[in-house]
Amino acid sequence: MSARAAGRWPVAVLGATGMVGQTFVRLLAGHPWFELTELAASERSVGQRYGDAVRWSEATLADEVARLPVLPCDPASITAPVVFSALDAATAVGAEAAFARAGRVVLSNARSYRLEPDVPLVIAEVNPGHLDILDAQRRRRGWSGAIVTNGNCATIVGAMALAPLHERFGVRRVVLTTMQAISGAGYPGVPSLEILGNVIPFIADEEPKVEAETRKFLGALRADAIADAPIAVSAHCNRVPVEHGHMVCLSVELAVPVSPADARAALCAWRGAEVARDLPSAPDRPLILTDQADRPQPRRDVDAGGGMSVTVGRVREDPVLGLRLVALGHNTVRGAAGASILNAELMAARRLLPAP
Amino acid sequence: MSARAAGRWPVAVLGATGMVGQTFVRLLAGHPWFELTELAASERSVGQRYGDAVRWSEATLADEVARLPVLPCDPASITAPVVFSALDAATAVGAEAAFARAGRVVLSNARSYRLEPDVPLVIAEVNPGHLDILDAQRRRRGWSGAIVTNGNCATIVGAMALAPLHERFGVRRVVLTTMQAISGAGYPGVPSLEILGNVIPFIADEEPKVEAETRKFLGALRADAIADAPIAVSAHCNRVPVEHGHMVCLSVELAVPVSPADARAALCAWRGAEVARDLPSAPDRPLILTDQADRPQPRRDVDAGGGMSVTVGRVREDPVLGLRLVALGHNTVRGAAGASILNAELMAARRLLPAP
Amino acid sequence: MSARAAGRWPVAVLGATGMVGQTFVRLLAGHPWFELTELAASERSVGQRYGDAVRWSEATLADEVARLPVLPCDPASITAPVVFSALDAATAVGAEAAFARAGRVVLSNARSYRLEPDVPLVIAEVNPGHLDILDAQRRRRGWSGAIVTNGNCATIVGAMALAPLHERFGVRRVVLTTMQAISGAGYPGVPSLEILGNVIPFIADEEPKVEAETRKFLGALRADAIADAPIAVSAHCNRVPVEHGHMVCLSVELAVPVSPADARAALCAWRGAEVARDLPSAPDRPLILTDQADRPQPRRDVDAGGGMSVTVGRVREDPVLGLRLVALGHNTVRGAAGASILNAELMAARRLLPAP
Amino acid sequence: MSARAAGRWPVAVLGATGMVGQTFVRLLAGHPWFELTELAASERSVGQRYGDAVRWSEATLADEVARLPVLPCDPASITAPVVFSALDAATAVGAEAAFARAGRVVLSNARSYRLEPDVPLVIAEVNPGHLDILDAQRRRRGWSGAIVTNGNCATIVGAMALAPLHERFGVRRVVLTTMQAISGAGYPGVPSLEILGNVIPFIADEEPKVEAETRKFLGALRADAIADAPIAVSAHCNRVPVEHGHMVCLSVELAVPVSPADARAALCAWRGAEVARDLPSAPDRPLILTDQADRPQPRRDVDAGGGMSVTVGRVREDPVLGLRLVALGHNTVRGAAGASILNAELMAARRLLPAP
């Protein structure tokens, strides 16, 4: 593919020692288009070798990555033109803007800029066109680089299940209840005394994120801003004792009411935007429709498509809103690091990355 | 109280070796109005001492109960005038009718008769008046006894949270998502390989029960039948790795839209029907309203009111249906055995039991 | 009982906001001999009401306790003559000595002084006579008060199972493998990502504690010091995903080899030291011997004797060391706060507390 | 390799619908030497397509396997010369003998024949020479085929950790305590109500198996029988809420006492018998020695070497028996199906299989 003709892009990961940072490092190992050359983290880790600074929880850490020095999170210390950010929101506000100002393309997991009208919030298969707002972003902010965000981990799972329905029938109202894995809270995250054999019906700041981001994912590109879709969204967010995989139960009202069979057909046929197909991290099918009565389940389906597919099941009539279904996705892959990498590949394919 | 003046009622438990049967046995120990004198179970156990036949999983089993012989589940073998049934649905159909025909009052946990229009489906604090249908039941069926049912364990939790709202503001539509404990599936029930670190988004036959029973609990007594409340109910039922305690997330549309503050006031003020107060198994408060952001939780709140209180929290605006909240109750106590015993106490107080 | 004739002792809890501190507060509620009048914690909490400073995780917190102000952990701020310490080891070193110097009796859970030869390490039923070392302690250290310690939570469980065997037959060598609950690590303690569906075969500093403290519990009082029992102890300490209750598998070599039947008889007959019977927190039986093949189990047996009984089972021959068995005890009750309170009751009964 | 020159061996799996049977099916997919051509199970499943008869719990089931008909477990219905048995012990006694009599080589997971002195109990890297007993087996039993067994899942993990120590220093006595995963009990296996947040200190028949099989694995080939190694073994077997991976804590007495450093060197250097290296299912290292203080752990290490490596750690002095360590292995791969397949590969390499 021409995108990689000139060699691989050097890329950096900011916040590389955390949970999502580690997932970035794992997913970038041997990436055909990107070469992980720099790692940055908080002051506490700077100067150490990455292998010493990180409490590695993925399977294996390649020696050449373990040996990389941990750098500070500022553009003066990082040379890579493409930067993946797993920073926490407080740090991300300043740091990501600094990188964008310095001409870097920042693919961010942080919530800091997600709802800014001139910052694209992108799922590659759902709304790749929102990247066109980058011109406005650069004009308005005077940046030579850019910030592109992916959504909250639970929102992405729900939005991918809604996308085919919205494209075909128009989504008007959604009640969604999540059952979210502990890895979504990072490390050390949720104390075991709180969650072992328990359910916590609250995740700080999560419900407003799910509601607002869903509308933006399904929204429309206007001249200088992305306009939210006029969808009413209600989220109930729960933490459950599951390691990886966010489950979402959805009750959906469509502008054009359809039978479950028609909804299933739409979900089954959906392949996402053409431009996002065949990207290195794109799964064979962004959505997998299961017809087993008791699926999807986190333990069995979370790694579908290498963690990049969302599995949808139990599509049935809803006595209140018309249609019900269940969706499951891997929260640290499709819902975080994998989503950012896929967005970067999308930008590469659309020639929106600086030449490597 | 006059109800007990003439001594305690001898009572029997049918299906005494199962999970709910054991909870009956535990809750009836030392009961001020009822004396557990007979235990019945399937053919396999008949003739054994109860202590040998049961795989006891509650804390302690009194010697005098352990020594009781296990009897067959038919009225020829049982003399008690009041009978608690923890039978499975298939067995209950025939056995419960036989007891009612033989003049016994059957308090049933089985689903077999719950939706019959002449069979009361009762939560003591919510719809005690539905017991008045018993005259019609006897007339129509030619029984000298009666069958009174309590609902599905998840339905009871949801219906108790809805009752104060329905009484004050009228419930029109509800989307409810449950996260149900493994003890709801009985023993051996859910294999650990299926649920450890997992969520199963399906419980066989559960969703239709929740939807239909909610309408009946909140329905109205007509001449010869109980009429469902005209409420649209959508249920998503999930199994989670929790031992005891069903959680329910509710999105509710009211006939009279109210603020969360007004809803909280209604929930907080609610004490249930007057006739159900001060019964031996009635908790101080049938509903407990918590204002902690991350409660109720199964591990912390399941035993509120000795397992007979439902805890409600996170009462807040819902962008789709108007009002959102979370409810939690103990599925084998308030959702099963305790509910039946409370119903029997209610009948005693209303002088609907045969003289002891 | 004469010990309480002059009224209840005012007592304080140091480190009252932590896990063990909370267990102290719960167990002292309504205590017949002790009145909880003061609570102390770290600087961060000082000045707040206890109810605001604590993340309460026990069932209910009495209003009068919730209203108590949190005081600093020094004897100038605390007037109670009897002080329970749930401080971490680093803080305990200085703070507990300061209280002892100021004439207070400190009942400590910290490991700081446990292995000092003039500091009694006491299980009330096992080695109450070790309290006689207090004279030497006062002489040597010039304290008017005293420090009395209880052991590590896992050690206590093992030592109680060994005590009857040691008294009757002499324990020579023990290999013990623990499976310890997460509450033993306090709050926030073990991250859920580390322990959900997992076992961690290591607990920092735990194995040396178990080995050394076991020898001291079963040791002998000499003139000026407590002499370790000459027992070889090997501990394997593991963390498992259990909320409360430490399990210990023991292989034991006795000086006088005995049959499992004789060992069972010794365990079954044991009631502990006479002086410790009938104390308010003493359970009916400090050891409960079960003959069910698959018990003890944390979920079913942890609360035996209000959490103060250790349950022992599977007493059988060991092909290597002669005798095998399994023991289980509640780590925050018998293994921590309850043990300290029982020790204080023992001191009251032996008139070793300053007059209230 | 010459072993496969003549094409792949057709192989069958007996008991193919159970937990271990499924692992066989998964591991045989695409095997370079064996071609899975026939599947057999109990009468209940016979005649159905495998995909319909099985409750598949592994990741994906290939269509060509799903389409295979389920056959009866007798040699008249099965043509494959090599048969993997995942039958339960009761069925295995008769069925496996029938296959051996009919000239087939049976690689068995059942315990039925493991302790027969003329039946090899083999870990390919530990005691491949025990296969030489097959001549005696055939002579004595008049079989043209053979039965070769692998051990109990917990025993294999322990025996692999002991093998290098036994080879170099001689093992005399071992106390081992297991913490075993729920998948070791098959499906449906352990009810979730029994194991969620719990430990069960008992597994039926497990301890005698571990003790006897360990002695046989490390034993010596005599003229007509395999002689147990003269090692005293004591096993404490526990079930813990872990999905896959048996942990074993070992205290070991060696004939030649060694330092932990020397023990580590022996464990680290061990590659197992030369004949077992480079077999298709042999991992790079049968033993992996970790120096991280809190490893091995089931969640992190169970899949080492594709589930075929045992991870050993915490090698340290033992105050009672001299040496302590911890071992972990995958119970359904290295401890069951993978072990059988590796044994079959070993037989192929040693030309002990009938020509394909």
Side-chain angles (χ1 to χ4, degrees):
Chain A
M1 180 171 280
S2 61
R4 55 197 280 208
R8 297 196 291 168
W9 279 266
V11 300
V13 172
L14 311 183
T17 56
M19 191 97 202
V20 171
Q22 293 185 36
T23 309
F24 270 121
V25 170
R26 171 171 70 84
L27 296 175
L28 288 168
H31 193 282
W33 295 1
F34 303 129
E35 181 180 5
L36 178 59
T37 54
E38 291 163 313
L39 296 166
S42 64
E43 282 311 313
R44 194 162 33 89
S45 303
V46 168
Q48 298 183 58
R49 287 164 16 114
Y50 180 64
D52 298 329
V54 74
R55 187 185 165 83
W56 186 253
S57 70
E58 301 271 353
T60 39
L61 175 58
D63 272 355
E64 64 271 23
V65 177
R67 275 195 298 267
L68 287 176
V70 177
L71 306 170
C73 290
D74 74 83
S77 309
I78 303 280
T79 63
V82 176
V83 170
F84 295 102
S85 165
L87 296 171
D88 62 89
T91 311
V93 181
E96 296 182 355
F99 276 90
R101 206 174 300 121
R104 319 302 170 79
V105 171
V106 180
L107 285 300
S108 170
N109 272 276
R111 70 163 188 272
S112 317
Y113 292 94
R114 283 184 198 149
L115 299 182
E116 297 286 305
D118 62 344
V119 174
L121 175 73
V122 177
I123 297 171
E125 296 94 335
V126 171
N127 61 337
H130 287 198
L131 288 172
D132 292 340
I133 201 70
L134 287 179
D135 286 341
Q137 180 189 106
R138 286 175 174 131
R139 268 198 319 272
R140 185 177 150 208
R141 300 187 186 248
W143 292 346
S144 51
I147 294 179
V148 172
T149 64
N150 56 267
N152 163 277
C153 46
T155 316
I156 291 176
V157 176
M160 286 186 65
L162 290 171
L165 301 172
H166 190 59
E167 291 173 13
R168 288 284 302 277
F169 314 113
V171 170
R172 280 200 177 151
R173 304 206 289 175
V174 190
V175 174
L176 48 80
T177 305
T178 71
M179 291 167 282
Q180 301 183 219
I182 54 174
S183 63
Y187 183 88
V190 188
S192 53
L193 276 168
E194 298 211 334
I195 197 66
L196 187 73
N198 202 15
V199 171
I200 304 175
F202 177 70
I203 299 174
D205 300 325
E206 195 85 350
E207 294 171 354
K209 277 191 262 181
V210 172
E211 295 168 4
E213 295 177 17
T214 300
R215 281 189 296 271
K216 184 166 178 181
F217 274 129
L218 304 179
L221 181 73
R222 301 270 179 267
D224 277 7
I226 293 156
D228 282 354
I231 301 174
V233 185
S234 164
H236 298 258
C237 291
N238 300 281
R239 186 76 68 193
V240 292
V242 163
E243 191 185 21
H244 297 302
H246 288 355
M247 294 272 286
V248 186
C249 293
L250 301 108
S251 283
V252 184
E253 186 182 277
L254 299 169
V256 181
V258 297
S259 70
D262 288 347
R264 269 191 293 267
L267 292 161
C268 190
W270 193 74
R271 291 291 177 282
E274 184 138 12
V275 65
R277 294 176 204 165
D278 302 317
L279 296 176
S281 301
D284 273 359
R285 289 168 164 267
L287 273 191
I288 293 172
L289 179 67
T290 174
D291 59 358
Q292 286 188 257
D294 60 355
R295 303 281 282 269
Q297 296 174 15
R299 285 294 281 266
R300 298 184 175 189
D301 299 303
V302 70
D303 289 323
M308 288 298 286
S309 294
V310 166
T311 304
V312 172
R314 302 208 69 218
V315 182
R316 60 209 196 280
E317 218 175 283
D318 182 284
V320 172
L321 294 175
L323 191 74
R324 269 180 290 191
L325 65 160
V326 179
L328 168 83
H330 196 302
N331 51 295
T332 65
V333 179
R334 169 53 86 167
S340 284
I341 295 174
L342 187 60
N343 283 347
E345 294 166 0
L346 172 68
M347 293 182 76
R350 294 193 50 195
R351 304 180 181 274
L352 294 169
L353 291 187
Chain B
M1 179 173 280
S2 61
R4 55 197 281 203
R8 297 196 292 167
W9 278 266
V11 301
V13 172
L14 311 182
T17 54
M19 190 99 202
V20 170
Q22 293 185 36
T23 309
F24 269 122
V25 171
R26 172 171 69 85
L27 295 176
L28 288 167
H31 193 280
W33 295 2
F34 304 130
E35 182 180 3
L36 179 58
T37 55
E38 291 164 314
L39 296 167
S42 64
E43 283 311 312
R44 194 163 33 90
S45 303
V46 168
Q48 299 183 55
R49 289 164 14 113
Y50 181 63
D52 297 329
V54 75
R55 186 185 166 84
W56 186 251
S57 70
E58 300 270 354
T60 40
L61 174 59
D63 272 355
E64 63 270 23
V65 177
R67 277 194 299 267
L68 287 176
V70 177
L71 306 170
C73 290
D74 74 81
S77 308
I78 302 279
T79 63
V82 177
V83 169
F84 295 102
S85 164
L87 296 171
D88 61 272
T91 312
V93 180
E96 295 182 355
F99 276 90
R101 207 174 300 121
R104 319 302 170 80
V105 172
V106 180
L107 284 300
S108 171
N109 269 278
R111 70 161 188 273
S112 318
Y113 292 95
R114 281 184 200 150
L115 298 182
E116 298 287 302
D118 62 345
V119 174
L121 175 73
V122 177
I123 296 171
E125 297 95 334
V126 170
N127 61 337
H130 288 197
L131 288 172
D132 292 339
I133 201 71
L134 287 180
D135 286 341
Q137 181 189 104
R138 287 174 174 131
R139 266 198 321 271
R140 186 178 149 206
R141 300 187 186 248
W143 291 346
S144 51
I147 293 178
V148 173
T149 64
N150 54 268
N152 162 277
C153 48
T155 317
I156 292 177
V157 176
M160 287 186 64
L162 291 171
L165 301 171
H166 191 57
E167 291 173 14
R168 289 283 303 277
F169 313 113
V171 170
R172 279 199 177 151
R173 306 205 287 175
V174 191
V175 175
L176 46 80
T177 304
T178 71
M179 292 167 281
Q180 302 184 218
I182 54 175
S183 63
Y187 183 88
V190 187
S192 52
L193 275 168
E194 298 210 334
I195 198 65
L196 187 71
N198 201 13
V199 170
I200 305 174
F202 176 70
I203 300 174
D205 300 325
E206 195 84 351
E207 293 172 352
K209 277 192 263 181
V210 171
E211 294 168 3
E213 295 177 17
T214 300
R215 281 190 296 271
K216 185 166 177 180
F217 274 130
L218 302 179
L221 182 73
R222 301 269 181 265
D224 277 7
I226 294 156
D228 281 355
I231 301 174
V233 185
S234 165
H236 299 257
C237 291
N238 300 281
R239 186 76 68 194
V240 292
V242 163
E243 190 186 20
H244 297 302
H246 287 355
M247 295 272 285
V248 187
C249 294
L250 302 108
S251 282
V252 185
E253 184 181 278
L254 299 170
V256 182
V258 296
S259 70
D262 287 348
R264 270 193 291 267
L267 292 161
C268 190
W270 192 74
R271 291 292 176 282
E274 183 138 13
V275 66
R277 294 176 204 166
D278 303 317
L279 296 175
S281 300
D284 275 358
R285 288 167 165 269
L287 273 192
I288 293 172
L289 180 67
T290 175
D291 58 358
Q292 287 187 256
D294 61 355
R295 303 280 281 270
Q297 295 175 13
R299 286 293 280 267
R300 298 184 174 189
D301 297 304
V302 71
D303 289 322
M308 288 297 286
S309 295
V310 166
T311 304
V312 173
R314 302 208 69 217
V315 182
R316 60 207 195 282
E317 218 174 282
D318 183 284
V320 171
L321 292 176
L323 191 74
R324 271 181 288 190
L325 64 162
V326 180
L328 168 83
H330 195 303
N331 50 296
T332 66
V333 179
R334 170 52 88 167
S340 284
I341 295 174
L342 187 61
N343 283 348
E345 294 166 0
L346 172 68
M347 294 183 75
R350 293 194 51 193
R351 303 180 181 275
L352 294 170
L353 293 186
Chain C
M1 178 171 285
S2 61
R4 54 198 279 207
R8 298 197 290 168
W9 279 268
V11 300
V13 172
L14 311 182
T17 53
M19 192 96 201
V20 171
Q22 294 185 36
T23 309
F24 269 121
V25 169
R26 171 171 70 83
L27 295 176
L28 288 168
H31 193 281
W33 296 1
F34 304 129
E35 182 179 4
L36 179 58
T37 54
E38 291 163 314
L39 295 167
S42 64
E43 282 312 312
R44 195 165 31 91
S45 302
V46 169
Q48 297 183 57
R49 289 166 12 115
Y50 180 64
D52 298 329
V54 74
R55 186 184 167 85
W56 186 251
S57 71
E58 301 270 353
T60 39
L61 175 59
D63 272 356
E64 63 271 23
V65 176
R67 277 194 299 266
L68 286 176
V70 177
L71 305 171
C73 289
D74 73 83
S77 308
I78 302 280
T79 63
V82 176
V83 170
F84 295 102
S85 164
L87 296 171
D88 62 90
T91 313
V93 180
E96 296 182 356
F99 276 90
R101 207 173 299 122
R104 319 302 171 78
V105 171
V106 180
L107 285 299
S108 170
N109 270 278
R111 70 162 188 272
S112 317
Y113 291 94
R114 281 183 200 153
L115 298 183
E116 297 286 304
D118 63 344
V119 175
L121 175 73
V122 177
I123 297 172
E125 296 95 335
V126 170
N127 61 337
H130 287 198
L131 287 173
D132 293 339
I133 201 69
L134 288 180
D135 285 340
Q137 181 189 102
R138 285 172 175 135
R139 263 197 323 270
R140 184 177 151 205
R141 300 187 188 249
W143 291 346
S144 50
I147 294 179
V148 172
T149 63
N150 54 267
N152 162 275
C153 46
T155 315
I156 292 177
V157 176
M160 287 187 64
L162 290 172
L165 301 171
H166 191 58
E167 291 174 13
R168 288 283 303 277
F169 313 113
V171 170
R172 280 203 178 147
R173 306 205 288 175
V174 191
V175 174
L176 45 79
T177 304
T178 70
M179 291 167 281
Q180 302 184 216
I182 53 174
S183 63
Y187 183 89
V190 188
S192 53
L193 275 168
E194 298 210 335
I195 198 64
L196 188 73
N198 201 13
V199 170
I200 305 174
F202 177 70
I203 301 174
D205 300 325
E206 195 84 350
E207 294 172 353
K209 277 192 262 181
V210 172
E211 294 169 2
E213 295 177 16
T214 300
R215 281 191 297 270
K216 184 167 178 180
F217 274 130
L218 301 180
L221 181 72
R222 302 268 181 265
D224 277 9
I226 293 157
D228 282 356
I231 302 174
V233 185
S234 165
H236 298 257
C237 291
N238 300 282
R239 186 76 68 196
V240 292
V242 163
E243 191 187 20
H244 297 302
H246 287 356
M247 295 272 284
V248 186
C249 293
L250 302 107
S251 283
V252 184
E253 186 182 276
L254 299 171
V256 181
V258 296
S259 70
D262 287 347
R264 272 192 291 268
L267 292 161
C268 191
W270 192 74
R271 290 293 176 281
E274 184 137 13
V275 64
R277 295 178 203 163
D278 302 318
L279 296 176
S281 301
D284 274 358
R285 290 169 164 266
L287 274 193
I288 293 173
L289 179 67
T290 175
D291 58 359
Q292 287 187 257
D294 62 353
R295 302 283 279 268
Q297 295 174 14
R299 285 294 281 265
R300 298 184 174 189
D301 299 303
V302 70
D303 289 323
M308 288 298 284
S309 296
V310 165
T311 304
V312 173
R314 302 208 70 220
V315 182
R316 61 207 195 281
E317 219 173 283
D318 183 286
V320 172
L321 292 176
L323 191 74
R324 270 181 290 190
L325 65 161
V326 179
L328 168 82
H330 196 302
N331 51 295
T332 65
V333 180
R334 169 52 86 167
S340 284
I341 295 174
L342 187 60
N343 283 347
E345 294 166 2
L346 172 68
M347 293 183 77
R350 292 193 54 193
R351 304 182 180 274
L352 293 169
L353 292 186
Chain D
M1 180 170 282
S2 60
R4 55 198 281 205
R8 296 196 293 168
W9 279 266
V11 300
V13 173
L14 311 181
T17 55
M19 191 96 201
V20 170
Q22 293 185 36
T23 309
F24 269 121
V25 171
R26 171 171 70 84
L27 295 175
L28 287 167
H31 193 282
W33 295 2
F34 304 130
E35 182 179 4
L36 179 59
T37 54
E38 291 162 314
L39 295 167
S42 63
E43 282 313 312
R44 195 162 33 90
S45 303
V46 168
Q48 298 182 56
R49 289 167 9 117
Y50 181 64
D52 298 329
V54 74
R55 185 184 167 83
W56 186 251
S57 70
E58 301 270 353
T60 38
L61 175 58
D63 272 356
E64 64 271 22
V65 177
R67 275 194 301 265
L68 287 175
V70 177
L71 305 170
C73 289
D74 73 83
S77 309
I78 302 280
T79 63
V82 177
V83 169
F84 295 102
S85 164
L87 296 171
D88 62 89
T91 312
V93 180
E96 296 182 355
F99 276 90
R101 205 173 300 123
R104 318 301 171 79
V105 172
V106 180
L107 284 300
S108 170
N109 270 279
R111 68 161 187 274
S112 317
Y113 292 94
R114 281 184 201 152
L115 298 183
E116 297 286 304
D118 62 344
V119 174
L121 175 73
V122 177
I123 297 172
E125 295 95 334
V126 171
N127 61 338
H130 288 197
L131 288 172
D132 292 339
I133 200 70
L134 288 179
D135 286 341
Q137 181 189 105
R138 285 172 176 135
R139 266 197 320 271
R140 184 176 152 206
R141 301 189 186 247
W143 291 347
S144 51
I147 295 180
V148 172
T149 63
N150 56 266
N152 163 277
C153 47
T155 315
I156 292 177
V157 176
M160 287 186 64
L162 290 172
L165 301 172
H166 190 58
E167 292 174 12
R168 288 283 303 276
F169 313 112
V171 170
R172 281 204 177 147
R173 307 205 286 175
V174 191
V175 175
L176 47 78
T177 304
T178 70
M179 291 167 282
Q180 301 183 219
I182 54 175
S183 63
Y187 183 88
V190 188
S192 53
L193 276 167
E194 298 210 335
I195 198 64
L196 187 72
N198 202 13
V199 171
I200 303 174
F202 177 70
I203 299 173
D205 300 325
E206 195 85 351
E207 293 172 354
K209 275 190 263 180
V210 172
E211 294 168 3
E213 296 177 16
T214 300
R215 280 190 297 270
K216 185 166 178 181
F217 275 130
L218 302 180
L221 182 73
R222 301 270 180 264
D224 277 9
I226 293 156
D228 281 355
I231 301 174
V233 185
S234 165
H236 298 257
C237 291
N238 300 281
R239 186 76 68 196
V240 292
V242 163
E243 191 185 22
H244 297 303
H246 288 355
M247 293 272 284
V248 187
C249 294
L250 302 108
S251 283
V252 185
E253 186 182 275
L254 298 171
V256 181
V258 297
S259 69
D262 287 347
R264 270 192 292 268
L267 292 161
C268 190
W270 192 75
R271 290 292 176 281
E274 183 138 13
V275 66
R277 295 178 203 164
D278 303 318
L279 296 176
S281 300
D284 274 358
R285 291 169 162 265
L287 274 193
I288 294 172
L289 178 68
T290 174
D291 59 358
Q292 286 187 257
D294 61 353
R295 302 284 278 268
Q297 296 174 15
R299 287 293 282 266
R300 298 183 175 189
D301 298 304
V302 71
D303 289 324
M308 288 298 284
S309 296
V310 166
T311 304
V312 173
R314 300 208 72 218
V315 182
R316 60 206 196 282
E317 217 174 285
D318 182 285
V320 172
L321 292 176
L323 191 74
R324 272 180 288 191
L325 65 162
V326 179
L328 167 84
H330 195 303
N331 50 294
T332 65
V333 180
R334 169 53 85 166
S340 284
I341 295 173
L342 186 60
N343 283 346
E345 294 165 3
L346 172 69
M347 293 182 75
R350 293 194 50 193
R351 304 182 179 274
L352 295 169
L353 293 185

